Amino acid sequence: MDNFLLPTKLFVPPIRPNWVNRSRLLAKLNPTPTTKLILISAPAGYGKTTLMSACLHALPEVQSCWLSLDTDDSDPRQFFRYLTAAVESLVNVQASLPHLLSAQQLPPAHVLMGAFIRDVMSVSEPFVLVLDDYHAIDSAEIDQSLAFLLDHMPPHMTLAITSRSDPGFPLSRLRARGQLVEFRADDLRFTTDEATQFFQQTMGLTLSADQIDALERRTEGWVAGLQMAALALQGRTIASNGTDDFVTHFGGSHRFVLDYLVEEALSQQPPDVRDFLLTTSILDQLNASLCDTVTERSDSQALLERLERDNLFLVPLDDERHRYRYHHLFADVLRAYAKTEQAEQRALAHARAATWFAQKGADTDAIRHALAAEDFSRAAALLEQIRLQTEGVYLLTRWIGWLEQLPTDVVEQRPVLCVGYAWALLEIGRFEPCEAWLQIAARWLAEESAEPIIAVYDEWRTLPAAIAGAYAYLALAHGAVSDAIEHAQSVLAFFEQHADLPQHAYWRRVALALLGLTRWMAGDLNGAIKPFAELTISMSHAGNLVDAISTAYTLAEIQMAQGDLNAADATLREMLAIATQNGEPYPVGTSDLYRALAVLAWERGDRDSAEIDLATASRLAQQGGLTNAEHRLYITASYFKRSLGEYAAALAMLDEAERVYMENPVPQIRPIAAIKAQIWMTQGAIDNAAAWAQTVVAPDDIDYMREFELLTLARFQLLHNPDQRAAGWKLMTTIRAAAIAASRLRTHLYTLLLDALATDTTAPLAQALALAEPFGYVQFFVDEGQPLARLLALLPPSPYRNHLLTFFDQPPKSAERLSEREREILNAAANGLKNKEIADLLFISVNTVLYHTKNIYGKLGVNKRVQAIAKARELGLLD
């Protein structure tokens, strides 16, 4: 198991031998083959965890996996690490999920859940996975991944959830299909018989039937209330009228009852036990060593065992009785009492706890207690030490939240912490405060006589590079490309002189990524290729396959933008060989490799291979795509549709691409609005293109980020707006000169085609053919249609020219063959199924159904489901 995980979170709580037998509930809890979800949802203190634990102990023939959740598990990486650990003891379970969790770029949660499903699919015996205290999870992403699990759950698995509130995914469909077993507060209330058994058997109290009935009615069967009432009654002389007097003194809301009963229960304890309870209430988990440290006692183990025997809301977390926790509700009230009764002692207890956790290497617990003790120096030192281990928005936000509890002057005295803070803010998109913290750190470097506080010496030595890297990131975010390049280069230069530093490899990768992105944005494609090529090799050798695939795909995109289809093809196939070396494609990112190969095949006129690769990419994207993989798939599908003359479908695909796009640092070289304008021009919708052109203003200085948009504007002006031909010509020739100077062949080729079409001459076309032939361009020319074919026919015959002309003669495939998946969807639609029902039937997402439906409409030349079904019947396409 992962060394950073707490094994106690995976422990099934034991059942006390004298606990109330709730057979009426256990009978309903036994999962059947149709049960997908067991849900126990009720407020605190209703015995949810105890009931679930009792169920598992009553079913020894069923394998069980347990995971107790807390708020930190809202981080998807941590949640899935624990999920993996929870099931690792199952026979035949696989282990593909841990590989995904090791990636620097965490795949989406539904992808991680897909890997989890595949891992447990090989488990042949029935098993139950329990997620205890699910209300602690505050993550829509995790909610959605569990909905995905329930949609695709292996038949031998049952999910069980205990929670104070219903989970954030729909239950109605499971309920309607008889796949949900649920218990609510009304189900969990003690009956009078159960209350009698509890008082007499569990708590050892002798009460009359009337007294038990009165307590049961006053607490409304609330288990925690009954237990606190029993504790309050212990040690008293139990007389009928005395008990009646006690019962009449509490009532109302559960919280009011609990406050009253805790006060009563605490008053029955000896002073040393009372002090122990209040002091240790600051701890989430208890063990003898920790309690001895916090309370300055030496007999904590014996006292913990005594508290458990006395049923004082202590929950064991292992079979050996070495680790415990207080019942959450009891702990909350104890803490409230301790704040008023032991304010000074609490601070000292937190400080001792921080020391104990720090010595054990439990940094996050040490930080929490140091902050609670207001030991800000210790907290700051610990925050410095864990900064580079903190990844992902959730953990970064938590780290920032801790740091922002420190006084400003404490942070300012620690330059390493200042830079760590700036980087954390950058990574979650809070750019505004970053520069001030970088300037504070830089001043420490400039003042040689100053003595900063440093917890991590190696981080201090790398501070110049860390500051420069942060400035590069900031410049990149603000579009200051030249500044970003300068700062990224300074990071690389720094480590050329300090290659001995432990963080050398990490910061070099950061600098290479920033340098590659900034050079790409600046249009220096040759300069961008080198850092991305080095990154791809470095990530591959480090075994970081997700990031290796990401950088290889980016490298290929740059090579295609450069015009070198051969180099792009080699990059993609080399990485694909690595990503498929185990027989199956690596689940995250491989879809983008196939998608890019599809584009290359289409560009070279190999439509069959292109369609196969794109279908593979679409399938793999459902398992695990990089950021915006779905967005890129829609754009590629739109490109193919446009080439086939299916303009409505092409535009619809672009609408979907816009809908699913997520902001990220990778530059948007081809804005969707400009792609749409090109389709409108080809389609003949000139008014739409003209409306778009009015929104575009050509600057005096043209940068690469706007090159595609401005080339599209130049096309409109040259070919569709006679009044602006001069402006279009100037814009096109300016871009051509910049492209030639920067060796951007694809842009150069496009300007030559525009030149040929605008002037109706063959010389620019002949030049374009000479440049394009070594790379096998086909569709690039064919997309210009018959006007270019006519000019091409005027050129002297050559193998390449003749080859291109054969593609212009191919008829459009308006009723082209449907793929197997498209036929499945069409048949399901013809049988009356709705999109969600089709998705459930075929184990795909609704978005995938919509994607294929639009393909079907385009291929059949229709725009409605009824029309598609009718056309399919006419063509004999339905089974």
Side-chain angles (χ1 to χ4, degrees), residues 63-392:
Q63 299 180 88
S64 59
C65 310
W66 187 280
L67 173 54
S68 295
L69 298 167
D70 54 50
T71 54
D72 287 347
D73 299 320
S74 294
D75 172 50
R77 190 186 298 269
Q78 178 157 315
F79 175 84
F80 280 98
R81 284 168 63 198
Y82 271 112
L83 202 60
T84 297
V87 300
E88 69 180 3
S89 63
L90 295 175
V91 178
N92 295 328
V93 71
Q94 303 301 302
S96 64
L97 179 55
H99 296 295
L100 302 187
L101 294 172
S102 65
Q104 186 171 350
Q105 179 182 340
L106 189 69
H110 77 274
V111 173
L112 299 175
M113 187 58 78
F116 173 80
I117 292 169
R118 289 191 293 278
D119 284 349
V120 298
M121 192 69 76
S122 58
V123 178
S124 57
E125 297 298 321
F127 73 94
V128 177
L129 170 63
V130 178
L131 301 180
D132 188 34
D133 289 340
Y134 188 76
H135 56 267
I137 298 297
D138 183 15
S139 168
E141 198 175 4
I142 292 175
D143 288 339
Q144 291 162 9
S145 73
L146 286 178
F148 182 81
L149 170 63
L150 289 165
D151 282 343
H152 303 90
M153 184 179 288
H156 47 272
M157 175 182 176
T158 301
L159 177 66
I161 289 177
T162 72
S163 180
R164 295 182 186 177
S165 57
D166 280 2
F169 52 81
L171 301 172
S172 56
R173 188 175 61 187
L174 293 170
R175 190 178 290 123
R177 293 179 175 178
Q179 297 170 333
L180 171 65
V181 175
E182 56 187 323
F183 293 87
R184 303 289 173 175
D186 284 345
D187 303 304
L188 301 178
R189 300 183 197 279
F190 270 6
T191 64
T192 302
D193 288 344
E194 288 170 336
T196 300
Q197 183 185 357
F198 169 73
F199 281 117
Q200 295 178 348
Q201 176 180 304
T202 305
M203 302 304 296
L205 293 172
T206 304
L207 302 176
S208 69
D210 287 344
Q211 292 168 344
I212 292 173
D213 184 61
L215 286 169
E216 192 275 331
R217 280 187 288 104
R218 296 293 288 177
T219 60
E220 297 180 342
W222 182 39
V223 180
L226 287 168
Q227 186 170 0
M228 288 309 308
L231 289 170
L233 286 168
Q234 284 180 338
R236 293 172 179 264
T237 300
I238 306 299
S240 176
N241 60 342
T243 300
D244 290 341
D245 289 342
F246 172 81
V247 171
T248 59
H249 279 84
F250 71 89
S253 71
H254 283 169
R255 188 59 191 227
F256 178 85
V257 171
L258 187 67
D259 286 348
Y260 171 71
L261 292 176
V262 169
E263 185 172 354
E264 288 288 315
L266 285 176
S267 69
Q268 303 302 310
Q269 305 304 321
D272 66 322
V273 174
R274 179 186 173 91
D275 288 343
F276 182 88
L277 290 170
L278 293 175
T279 303
T280 57
S281 67
I282 67 170
L283 303 171
D284 292 333
Q285 292 191 10
L286 313 172
N287 65 61
S289 172
L290 176 57
C291 291
D292 282 346
T293 299
V294 169
T295 62
E296 296 186 306
R297 303 174 65 112
S298 59
D299 61 344
S300 294
Q301 182 63 42
L303 189 50
L304 288 168
E305 292 173 2
R306 172 185 165 187
L307 294 176
E308 186 191 2
R309 285 195 305 271
D310 291 345
N311 293 308
L312 208 57
F313 281 90
L314 199 65
V315 180
L317 297 177
D318 58 24
D319 288 323
E320 291 77 25
R321 281 1 190 221
H322 291 160
R323 294 179 182 272
Y324 300 84
R325 69 168 172 83
Y326 290 122
H327 186 286
H328 297 312
L329 206 56
F330 186 55
D332 288 343
V333 180
L334 283 178
R335 288 167 189 153
Y337 272 86
K339 281 182 180 178
T340 58
E341 295 191 16
Q342 291 189 337
E344 292 185 11
Q345 295 96 314
R346 275 173 62 84
L348 290 172
H350 277 297
R352 296 183 197 116
T355 300
W356 190 90
F357 281 115
Q359 291 172 347
K360 301 297 181 182
D363 293 327
T364 58
D365 288 311
I367 290 168
R368 287 191 300 104
H369 286 289
L371 288 171
E374 297 188 353
D375 186 350
F376 298 127
S377 178
R378 181 197 293 273
L382 291 166
L383 285 167
E384 263 185 36
Q385 291 170 12
I386 70 168
R387 169 62 189 93
L388 287 182
Q389 305 164 20
T390 308
E391 297 176 354

Side-chain angles (χ1 to χ4, degrees), residues 207 259 339 433 498 501 512 563 654 661 753 769 806:
L207 302 176
D259 286 348
K339 281 182 180 178
H498 302 85
L501 289 172
L512 287 171
L654 292 178
Y661 179 72
L753 295 194
L769 258 62
T806 63

